[in-house]
């Protein structure tokens, strides 16, 4: 064996050893040793990184109640096949509960089979499996938020802003020319948010005209590119940018900054999430508003279900919205709230 191959084999062996040590032997049900395996679709996602940081904290808090907690995290880098392998690896490493953020929310069967064969419960989060898949096993849970509500709230924010700032209708034609930046095609939050924000504007009798839309997969850099294309097509006609999340709204703002638009020539930008960067942009007045996607609430619910599922205690006290699913409410963020929220987060 060449030196290179021996070294490579050594590295793989050490990685396996590390994994085994991380959670130790598979725990019997009813244990107070919680080893959570977290698998998520892509580590470049701002919202999910912040949600997982919060999950770490909530799970760790259970140590005060006498639990031992460990968390192993895997990034699927956008591949469902990679994620399936990672789930197997996490189960082999001794994880006794899984938190899975699917890459392809319509394709969870392999993961469900693996978990069921090893009797490891799964808490899906943020990317919702379809209802039939949730029925495949009674140790499957889902934690997320009600997408419809976020679209309605984004629409209400837009209505309030348009009514209070007549200058939004820059060409004074009585209509608001808008574009939409959409998340991944097929993601429950993308389709439903877009539908509901537009319907809310219409039902409030705001005359709107759609100029264009771009799919930017939740991503700031992709949104900047899509926005640059739309600006080159429509120049200063765009009066409102509705983004399915904050990162894409920020990408749109980046595009206008790159082109040196003056403030009075800028459209209104609206996001969803209230990520740290989103809240900062609301405080600076760059982002006209956002809707809070309660990642702390979601992380707290996930930690609670994880502990109950592993320890066998307390599941009956958890309030599910429908069978084994929890949807945390959204709320609208004003500038004053954004300031308070960041201050609170920065407190040690
Ligand atoms: C969030 C997005 C995020 C996506 C990932 C959505 O609920 O609003 O920011 O990129 O989930 O699945
Ligand atoms: Ca107009």
């Amino acid at each position: 064996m060449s030196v290179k191959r021996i070294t490579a084999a050594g590295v793989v062996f050490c990685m396996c050893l590390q994994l085994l040590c991380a959670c130790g032997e598979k725990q019997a049900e009813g244990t107070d040793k919680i080893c959570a395996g977290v698998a998520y679709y892509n580590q470049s996602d701002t919202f999910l990184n912040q949600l997982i940081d919060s999950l770490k904290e909530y799970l760790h808090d259970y140590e005060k109640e006498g639990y031992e907690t460990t968390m192993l995290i895997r990034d699927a880098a956008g591949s469902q096949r990679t994620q399936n392998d990672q789930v197997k690896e996490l189960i082999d490493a001794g994880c006794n509960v899984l938190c899975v953020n699917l890459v392809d929310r319509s394709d969870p069967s392999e993961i469900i089979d693996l978990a069921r064969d090893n009797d490891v419960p799964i808490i899906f989060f943020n990317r919702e499996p379809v209802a039939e898949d949730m029925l495949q096993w009674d140790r499957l849970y889902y934690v997320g938020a009600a997408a419809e509500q976020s679209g309605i709230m984004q629409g209400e924010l837009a209505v309030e802003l348009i009514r209070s700032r007549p200058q939004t209708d820059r060409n004074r034609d009585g209509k608001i020319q808008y574009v939409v930046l959409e998340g991944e095609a097929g993601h429950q939050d993308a389709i439903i948010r877009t539908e509901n924000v537009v319907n809310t504007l219409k039902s409030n009798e705001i005359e709107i005209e759609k100029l264009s839309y771009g799919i930017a997969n939740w991503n700031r850099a992709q949104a900047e590119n899509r926005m640059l294309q739309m600006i080159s097509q429509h120049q200063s006609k765009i009066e409102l940018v509705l983004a399915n999340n904050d990162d894409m709204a920020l990408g749109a703002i980046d595009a206008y900054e790159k082109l040196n638009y003056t403030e009075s020539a800028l459209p209104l930008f609206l996001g969803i999430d209230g990520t740290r960067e989103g809240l900062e942009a609301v405080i600076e007045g760059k982002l006209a508003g956002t809707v809070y996607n309660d990642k702390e609430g979601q992380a707290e619910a996930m930690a609670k279900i994880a502990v109950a599922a592993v320890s066998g205690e307390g599941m009956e006290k958890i309030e599910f919205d429908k069978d084994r699913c929890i949807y945390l409410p959204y709320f609208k963020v004003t500038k004053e709230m954004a300031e308070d929220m960041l201050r609170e987060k920065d407190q040690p």
Side-chain angles (χ1 to χ4, degrees):
M1 220 191 265
S2 72
V3 175
K4 236 187 192 164
R5 272 170 73 190
I6 294 175
T7 323
V11 170
V12 171
F13 175 72
C14 286
M15 274 165 59
C16 294
L17 208 63
Q18 222 180 17
L19 275 177
L20 282 173
C21 295
C23 282
E25 302 236 314
K26 200 165 181 264
Q27 304 294 329
E29 207 182 320
T31 172
D32 55 7
K33 291 194 178 66
I34 321 286
C35 182
V38 178
Y40 73 131
Y41 89 107
N42 205 323
Q43 67 167 0
S44 68
D45 193 286
T46 308
F47 173 78
L48 282 166
N49 285 328
Q50 294 178 10
L51 189 161
I52 290 170
D53 281 347
S54 176
L55 177 61
K56 258 184 235 162
E57 285 170 23
Y58 277 108
L59 200 63
H60 190 253
D61 273 355
Y62 278 93
E63 305 228 329
K64 290 184 212 134
E65 294 178 30
Y67 292 96
E68 239 177 69
T69 68
T70 323
M71 200 165 124
L72 300 179
I73 305 173
R74 294 291 174 272
D75 155 36
S79 156
Q80 188 57 60
R81 188 179 281 249
T82 303
Q83 188 170 67
N84 297 348
D85 294 344
Q86 289 173 336
V87 164
K88 178 156 194 326
E89 207 181 283
L90 289 168
I91 293 174
D92 291 345
C95 290
N96 51 14
V97 59
L98 295 165
C99 298
V100 179
N101 173 248
L102 289 162
V103 178
D104 178 351
R105 70 186 190 95
S106 67
D107 190 17
S109 289
E110 198 172 320
I111 288 179
I112 295 175
D113 288 347
L114 277 166
R116 196 201 294 116
D117 292 347
N118 291 278
D119 200 27
V120 179
I122 308 181
I123 304 159
F124 290 107
F125 65 105
N126 169 267
R127 299 161 79 91
E128 187 171 10
V130 295
E132 297 86 83
D133 283 327
M134 288 299 293
L135 295 174
Q136 286 197 47
W137 187 32
D138 62 3
R139 300 195 81 192
L140 304 178
Y141 301 87
Y142 176 71
V143 175
E148 189 185 347
Q149 191 188 28
S150 57
I152 295 175
M153 288 185 170
Q154 191 182 47
E156 288 169 353
L157 280 175
V159 172
E160 286 159 30
L161 286 160
I162 292 164
R163 287 196 181 136
S164 65
R165 303 189 202 184
Q167 69 272 30
T168 307
D169 179 14
R170 278 201 318 275
N171 66 352
R172 301 204 184 130
D173 66 348
K175 290 185 216 156
I176 301 298
Q177 280 71 25
Y178 75 99
V179 301
V180 186
L181 282 164
E182 294 190 8
E184 287 161 278
H187 191 302
Q188 81 277 347
D189 290 342
I191 318 162
I192 301 177
R193 283 177 184 168
T194 304
E195 227 173 67
N196 282 283
V197 65
V198 171
N199 288 344
T200 304
L201 282 159
K202 286 185 185 154
S203 65
N204 279 281
E205 278 145 33
I206 303 281
E207 289 249 15
I208 50 176
E209 182 189 351
K210 181 173 180 172
L211 294 180
S212 187
Y213 76 99
I215 294 179
N217 299 311
W218 309 115
N219 180 281
R220 184 165 178 164
Q222 287 186 40
E224 181 183 335
N225 283 332
R226 295 284 100 80
M227 197 67 232
L228 286 170
Q229 286 163 2
M230 294 195 280
I231 299 170
S232 79
Q233 248 177 307
H234 302 287
Q235 282 94 31
S236 56
K237 281 201 205 108
I238 305 167
E239 297 171 338
L240 171 66
V241 177
L242 299 169
N244 282 170
N245 77 344
D246 283 356
D247 254 18
M248 294 191 293
L250 294 170
I253 296 170
D254 294 340
Y256 279 94
E257 282 183 356
K258 204 173 219 173
L259 299 171
N260 288 321
Y261 268 58
T262 55
E263 214 180 308
S264 61
L266 288 178
L268 277 184
F269 302 93
L270 285 166
I272 292 177
D273 273 348
T275 56
R276 168 169 285 277
E277 298 76 4
L279 294 179
E280 281 164 359
V282 170
I283 294 169
E284 286 172 57
K286 290 184 174 180
L287 195 57
T290 190
V291 176
Y292 203 75
N293 190 356
D294 185 4
K295 51 187 177 300
E296 291 78 14
Q298 292 162 40
E300 185 179 13
M302 288 165 67
K304 205 185 264 182
I305 299 173
V307 172
V310 174
S311 66
E313 280 165 29
M315 196 63 93
E316 68 291 343
K317 289 196 207 122
I318 300 178
E319 270 182 49
F320 290 97
D321 292 308
K322 63 175 198 217
D323 293 343
R324 293 177 270 109
C325 296
I326 296 182
Y327 301 92
L328 272 291
Y330 286 91
F331 54 88
K332 292 180 227 172
V333 180
T334 60
K335 198 167 172 171
E336 297 70 43
M337 277 164 77
E339 276 161 3
D340 288 346
M341 287 160 92
L342 280 188
R343 208 171 304 126
E344 219 170 271
K345 281 184 209 291
D346 287 337
Q347 261 165 21

